[in-house]
Amino acid sequence: MRHAITDPARDGHAGRTVIATLHQVEIVIHVDQALEEARREDLIAGLVRYDGVEKAHFTPGREHLLVVDYDREKLHAKDVLDYVKKDHVNAELVGPV
């Protein structure tokens, strides 16, 4: 189920209407190895192709922390972690945001 909400703090856009699911969860994954920027971008592009992964980004200044938004009705946190590891990346689940 999707709902339109206005969230003035989200993404720094005042009064921006965003679409969110009631089942969306945000988790943090610790990536063990230092990845070059191009490799991080490839990893993110691969993750968002999976059904249920809404978006992903590395934390600026802390590039070993990957934040992933996913639909908990379609995936579990372990599924998301397995997707990261499937891309030959050593990583651990830190937890929800």
Side-chain angles (χ1 to χ4, degrees):
M1 176 183 295
R2 290 192 176 282
H3 293 279
I5 58 173
T6 300
D7 184 353
R10 187 172 181 104
D11 299 325
H13 299 286
R16 176 180 171 194
T17 300
V18 295
I19 303 298
T21 68
L22 293 176
H23 307 291
Q24 190 170 347
V25 177
E26 196 172 57
I27 59 171
V28 177
I29 295 175
H30 180 272
V31 175
D32 294 341
Q33 62 261 60
L35 303 177
E36 297 291 328
E37 184 176 351
R39 180 74 174 95
R40 292 192 307 266
E41 290 173 2
D42 288 346
L43 180 61
I44 290 169
L47 281 174
V48 297
R49 287 188 191 116
Y50 288 106
D51 185 35
V53 176
E54 302 292 328
K55 64 182 178 177
H57 69 275
F58 281 90
T59 306
R62 301 178 81 191
E63 284 79 14
H64 59 285
L65 297 179
L66 174 62
V67 179
V68 182
D69 291 3
Y70 70 96
D71 184 338
R72 68 178 179 193
E73 290 292 307
K74 296 180 179 180
L75 299 170
H76 296 280
K78 183 173 180 340
D79 298 324
V80 178
L81 179 61
D82 288 344
Y83 292 153
V84 172
K85 289 181 173 184
K86 186 185 231 180
D87 207 10
H88 307 288
V89 174
N90 296 324
E92 298 86 29
L93 180 65
V94 175
V97 172

